[in-house]
Amino acid sequence: MKKPYFGRLLTAMVTPFNADGSINYEAGADFADWLLANGSDGLVVEGSTGEAATMDMDEKIKFMQNIVARVNGRAKIVAGAGTNCTASTIDLVKKMEACGVDGVLVVGPYYNKPTQEGYYQHFAAVAKATKLPIIVYNVPGRTGGNIAPETVARLAADFSNIVAIKEAAGNVAQTAELYRVLPENFSIYSGDDGLILPFLSVGACGLISVLANVNGNILQQLMQAYSEGRVKDAADLNKVMVPLAKAMFIESNPIPIKAAVTKVTGIEAGAPRLPLTPISAAAEAKLDAALKAAGMIK
């Protein structure tokens, strides 16, 4: 495995909320500390798992400044900075740059459903507007469109600060094609915990993870085993990890993972903001069963 640009395991961290729905900034900083002590090489802050879609700009800036100050250079911080408007994305990227982040995660514009040329022009405009390294985020299940490997390759060739992709199309063949067409120094991150092992086998070099909010160590162990050629050990770890990863998606992300963070870490993550709702009793029972089976709660 080659060395990933931002580290092997980036956690798409949740944003803790108080009981009244306001952001708990102190808990957020404490949680960043916990993540770095429990397997995370770096943090993706204010992505979809962090509920950026329901945070206003003042909250985004204050929360990011808070995390950057607490981490204080100990790990890379990547800001979720994508919107479905190119001008708004550029504005957000510049604000995140001013907060002192190390890079930005920019999702393919959602709802608009651009052509491949539209995707190219969107990311090109963002790349021209910042010096920060950019991770392209391809997640067709949330955006309604797929960024083709040839478009990513074109962006990588034309812009030196487009350095990685978070590939969450759930398609091993597409990941293999990305590896074929992209430069050797371009980092392919899996965007799906449950697919990290097959993605590694076709060229991915790291993971941007939801599960790492509560168990980064198993993911690190799995990737380490694979990188050392201990494929059976990696497969055995995968057998334990996949049910956990699935449990984090029994309802829409981040509903289950926020509940899991509170149960596992002791840091109160709070309920998600509307339109997401707190975890249902039936889903919570399944989540608890998965966490107990893995020995993460009693």
Side-chain angles (χ1 to χ4, degrees):
M1 285 172 57
K2 65 185 180 183
K3 185 178 180 181
Y5 192 93
F6 291 102
R8 186 164 60 187
L9 181 63
L10 302 179
T11 300
M13 70 175 284
V14 304
T15 301
F17 295 145
N18 294 306
D20 63 0
S22 61
I23 293 176
N24 187 331
Y25 295 97
E26 187 65 21
D30 290 345
F31 186 47
D33 281 337
W34 188 93
L35 290 171
L36 296 183
N38 287 274
S40 299
D41 296 318
L43 307 175
V44 175
V45 184
E46 298 174 10
S48 48
T49 305
E51 298 179 78
T54 58
M55 295 168 68
D56 66 34
M57 188 61 74
D58 289 341
E59 289 176 325
K60 287 180 179 180
I61 292 170
K62 183 177 177 180
F63 188 72
M64 190 63 70
Q65 290 172 333
N66 187 55
I67 299 299
V68 169
R70 178 65 70 90
V71 171
N72 194 29
R74 290 177 291 147
K76 300 295 185 184
I77 297 176
V78 177
T83 77
N84 67 334
C85 167
T86 303
S88 296
T89 299
I90 290 170
D91 179 61
L92 181 54
V93 166
K94 288 180 176 180
K95 286 181 168 63
M96 293 298 101
E97 188 169 9
C99 290
V101 303
D102 300 291
V104 287
L105 177 73
V106 179
V107 72
Y110 42 88
Y111 189 79
N112 314 59
K113 300 181 75 171
T115 62
Q116 292 304 310
E117 183 63 22
Y119 283 126
Y120 175 85
Q121 294 296 342
H122 174 78
F123 283 100
V126 175
K128 291 173 185 175
T130 183
K131 294 180 180 179
L132 285 175
I134 296 167
I135 304 176
V136 173
Y137 182 14
N138 186 39
V139 58
R142 283 186 178 267
T143 64
N146 182 57
I147 307 171
E150 54 266 31
T151 302
V152 183
R154 185 181 168 200
L155 287 163
D158 292 350
F159 300 97
S160 61
N161 60 334
I162 297 182
V163 300
I165 183 169
K166 178 183 178 183
E167 178 53 46
N171 187 329
V172 176
Q174 179 158 292
T175 303
E177 179 65 7
L178 283 166
Y179 185 71
R180 187 185 74 82
V181 300
L182 286 166
E184 178 65 26
N185 63 348
F186 196 94
S187 295
I188 301 171
Y189 288 93
S190 173
D192 295 291
D193 293 304
L195 290 176
I196 181 56
L197 186 54
F199 273 31
L200 288 174
S201 73
V202 295
C205 61
L207 173 65
I208 297 177
S209 172
V210 172
L211 177 60
N213 278 282
V214 292
N215 197 337
N217 290 322
I218 192 171
L219 294 162
Q220 285 282 15
Q221 292 164 13
L222 189 162
M223 289 188 281
Q224 185 65 28
Y226 185 85
S227 71
E228 293 174 354
R230 295 183 287 110
V231 177
K232 174 145 189 331
D233 290 345
D236 288 342
L237 287 162
N238 194 64
K239 188 164 58 175
V240 177
M241 182 274 292
V242 168
L244 271 175
K246 287 183 176 178
M248 302 308 147
F249 290 87
I250 49 178
E251 291 183 339
S252 296
N253 182 47
I255 294 172
I257 193 63
K258 291 201 85 170
V261 165
T262 300
K263 294 171 186 290
V264 172
T265 72
I267 295 170
E268 179 60 55
R273 286 177 170 174
L274 287 171
L276 299 181
T277 52
I279 193 167
S280 67
E284 187 171 18
K286 293 177 182 177
L287 176 66
D288 286 348
L291 295 172
K292 287 176 182 177
M296 294 169 63
I297 62 171
K298 295 181 180 180

